[in-house]
Amino acid sequence: MKGKTVWKMWITLALIALFSITALAGCSSESSTSNKGDGAKSTETSGGTNTLEKIKKRGKLVVGVKYDLNLFGLKNPETGKVEGFDIDIAKGLAKKILGDENKIELKEVTSKTRIPMLNNGEIDAIIATMTITEERKKEVDFSDVYFMAGQSLLVKKDSKINSVKDLKKGMTVLTAKGSTSAQNIRKVAPEVNVLEFENYAEAFTALKAGQGDALTTDNALLLGMAKQDPNYRVLDETFTEEPYGIAVRKGDKEFLQVINEYLKEIKENGEYDKIYEKWIGKKPQQ
């Protein structure tokens, strides 16, 4: 009898243990499902919240622009405001997204810092005379072309340099760090010395100080420098094609789509031509 009682007790304990395990498994499964759901929601909130949504939630567009390039992005010392072709394009994009061109923050970038600043989230987009290249496409996504430039040379008015072919061994050409200009000039004039500066303002100052024979970058930018100082001229010759694009983070498809829609709109409604003529001094070639 005693043995039978012990046997029943063991069966009861086993059943209790079995039910406990089942209940725990159910809770665990439920918890796991709940966590998975929360995790999915969290991923949707963080990873899925694209730049466009962040801009609307923040209430302003943050754009990386140049501060040292006359005609495209130059900080006016009298007003403290940054002005230029790229700035007007950026303001128009802010109006497209937020309904007000003043809902924008302009952050200074250089050719060297612009991609890192974009990819670490400091800025939403780069609108800074950035040439679309296959190498850069590995790091960022580009909009459609919004400006077509070509690389040329800025020289003194009385310089005997009238073509890139006139660059000889021993001459020094100035440009900016991290630019395609440095790569291109080394290809077309491999015998010249190339001196790189943090930005084009420093390079132009160095040219005026006699540290080089020419300064190279896109002709549109060089025209801005020549406008600042009539003692310098831009060669008519260009030796590359430099298509500028607006850069966004890789995979930011919805934001990129809105940018391309905006560029198409301003080209169709004539706003682009107005911006172009305002800063470049002539209508764009069709």
Side-chain angles (χ1 to χ4, degrees):
M1 184 72 178
K2 186 177 179 181
K4 192 174 181 180
T5 302
V6 172
W7 179 75
K8 284 184 178 180
M9 183 181 71
W10 280 112
I11 290 177
T12 303
L13 289 172
L15 287 171
I16 292 170
L18 181 61
F19 285 132
S20 298
I21 291 168
T22 305
L24 285 170
C27 289
S28 176
S29 175
E30 213 171 82
S31 175
S32 175
T33 304
S34 175
N35 287 339
K36 186 177 180 181
D38 291 344
K41 187 176 181 182
S42 176
T43 302
E44 188 179 338
T45 303
S46 57
T49 301
N50 58 28
T51 302
L52 194 59
E53 291 170 344
K54 289 178 182 177
I55 292 167
K56 290 177 179 179
K57 188 175 181 180
R58 186 198 301 133
K60 69 177 177 180
L61 172 68
V62 183
V63 181
V65 298
K66 296 284 185 72
Y67 275 32
D68 65 329
L69 292 179
N70 193 25
L71 304 184
F72 279 83
L74 183 69
K75 190 169 185 178
N76 187 322
E78 294 180 5
T79 64
K81 293 181 178 180
V82 191
E83 304 165 338
F85 187 98
D86 284 350
I87 311 307
D88 285 358
I89 293 292
K91 286 180 177 179
L93 182 58
K95 187 176 181 179
K96 163 78 174 175
I97 298 170
L98 299 168
D100 185 347
E101 68 170 27
N102 296 311
K103 290 184 177 181
I104 191 168
E105 180 180 349
L106 302 172
K107 285 195 175 184
E108 183 178 12
V109 298
T110 66
S111 298
K112 185 179 176 182
T113 65
R114 57 194 172 188
I115 290 180
M117 286 178 69
L118 175 67
N119 287 333
N120 69 20
E122 288 183 62
I123 54 179
D124 299 319
I126 301 169
I127 309 181
T129 63
M130 190 170 180
T131 302
I132 301 169
T133 68
E134 292 304 313
E135 193 65 27
R136 286 173 178 165
K137 283 181 182 179
K138 296 174 185 177
E139 298 184 86
V140 299
D141 285 340
F142 282 102
S143 70
D144 296 335
V145 176
Y146 75 90
F147 191 94
M148 181 61 76
Q151 190 168 338
S152 189
L153 297 171
L154 178 73
V155 297
K156 283 186 176 181
K157 271 203 167 178
D158 59 356
S159 173
K160 294 181 180 179
I161 299 172
N162 294 300
S163 165
V164 70
K165 294 176 183 178
D166 294 330
L167 296 175
K168 306 297 181 185
K169 186 176 181 179
M171 288 185 174
T172 298
V173 179
L174 315 178
T175 191
K177 291 179 182 177
S179 66
T180 53
S181 303
Q183 301 168 27
N184 294 335
I185 196 65
R186 287 187 173 101
K187 290 177 185 176
V188 298
E191 292 186 342
V192 302
N193 302 313
V194 179
L195 195 56
E196 298 179 54
F197 293 83
E198 287 300 323
N199 53 54
Y200 289 111
E202 289 184 14
F204 191 27
T205 299
L207 180 68
K208 290 188 281 188
Q211 293 183 42
D213 301 282
L215 190 157
T216 189
T217 185
D218 306 339
N219 56 351
L221 310 187
L222 296 177
L223 287 169
M225 297 177 199
K227 192 173 181 179
Q228 285 179 293
D229 192 329
N231 293 311
Y232 292 83
R233 62 185 172 90
V234 181
L235 303 192
D236 292 331
E237 175 194 68
T238 59
F239 51 90
T240 66
E241 283 191 346
E242 304 293 330
Y244 295 167
I246 298 172
V248 301
R249 282 179 284 279
K250 292 290 289 181
D252 212 341
K253 294 180 181 178
E254 189 178 354
F255 186 31
L256 195 61
Q257 183 180 344
V258 170
I259 292 171
N260 285 333
E261 286 173 1
Y262 159 67
L263 293 176
K264 184 180 179 183
E265 285 170 9
I266 62 173
K267 286 180 180 179
E268 289 178 348
N269 65 22
E271 185 61 30
Y272 179 84
D273 288 4
K274 290 179 183 177
I275 295 171
Y276 194 103
E277 194 167 7
K278 173 184 175 182
W279 294 106
I280 308 305
K282 59 182 180 179
K283 290 184 178 180
Q285 293 182 343
Q286 301 298 326

